[in-house]
Amino acid sequence: GFYVESSGGEGGNNLFTRGIPADGNFRYVSVQEDGLPVFAAPECMFMNIDLIVRVDQNIDRMESVRGGSASIFASNAAGGIINYISKTGGNRFGGSAKFSVGDYGMFRTDLEFGGPISENLRYHIGGFYRADNGIRPPNFRANEGGQVKGNLTYVMKKGHFRVYGKFLQERNIFY
């Protein structure tokens, strides 16, 4: 249902919903994290929504609603909703570490862990750092930075209360 054109580099790309004419950006698609819109306007002059969303080991899963029914759940979502669901701490301590290297001087490390603090209180924290020179030689470090995300969840008999935060500081080249 979605066609992604990754012509801008790490960010500033285009996403199209099949069957809906659009000129690019993320028009008519709401991008969310844990059910909340990341940014109310999916496109601004020289700023697409993919500049402020990064997928790392903190993501548990992705859910999507395509088509007209998506407009019931989010504004400006005639084409659909993409919702990234974050990991939360469980009953046992756990986590993962991931190290990646690649062409063009690429190095990336992801780390995430979480678990119980008490019987009803759980936590999860994680993030990534990466750096690379880019696919075209710009004569400087093209992409560098990372993010840290975390949440605290208080589990009740009928539901839960969650507090979360995210810090993203990354510099990306735009081709």
Side-chain angles (χ1 to χ4, degrees):
F2 296 115
Y3 168 72
V4 179
E5 178 188 75
S6 58
S7 58
E10 181 73 20
N13 296 295
N14 297 311
L15 181 131
F16 304 92
T17 303
R18 183 177 52 213
I20 298 178
D23 60 353
N25 300 329
F26 281 67
R27 187 167 292 175
Y28 310 126
V29 177
S30 175
V31 177
Q32 301 179 355
E33 284 184 317
D34 299 317
L36 297 173
V38 173
F39 192 70
E43 59 179 319
C44 293
M45 186 66 77
F46 298 106
M47 202 284 291
N48 288 1
I49 200 76
D50 63 343
L51 293 172
I52 53 179
V53 174
R54 293 290 181 255
V55 176
D56 61 10
Q57 293 296 104
N58 284 309
I59 302 297
D60 184 36
R61 67 188 184 279
M62 188 218 34
E63 298 175 347
S64 180
V65 178
R66 184 186 170 277
S69 61
S71 296
I72 296 170
F73 302 106
S75 62
N76 195 36
I81 298 172
I82 299 171
N83 186 17
Y84 295 101
I85 307 297
S86 300
K87 292 179 182 177
T88 58
N91 295 329
R92 297 184 311 174
F93 179 79
S96 66
K98 177 178 160 184
F99 301 98
S100 306
V101 294
D103 293 344
Y104 311 105
M106 193 278 278
F107 167 82
R108 178 174 169 142
T109 180
D110 290 67
L111 182 66
E112 60 87 18
F113 58 94
I117 295 175
S118 66
E119 185 176 334
N120 295 341
L121 189 61
R122 301 173 182 162
Y123 75 98
H124 189 271
I125 190 165
F128 76 93
Y129 176 81
R130 67 84 181 258
D132 69 67
N133 297 323
I135 59 172
R136 299 179 190 143
N139 297 322
F140 57 87
R141 178 77 75 185
N143 302 306
E144 185 172 24
Q147 79 176 359
V148 175
K149 287 174 59 174
N151 62 59
L152 282 171
T153 304
Y154 184 78
V155 179
M156 299 176 281
K157 289 182 181 180
K158 294 185 178 183
H160 66 272
F161 178 76
R162 182 170 297 132
V163 177
Y164 64 94
K166 174 173 91 168
F167 178 75
L168 171 63
Q169 185 167 358
E170 191 173 38
R171 183 186 71 222
N172 302 112
I173 194 166
F174 178 71
Y175 293 109

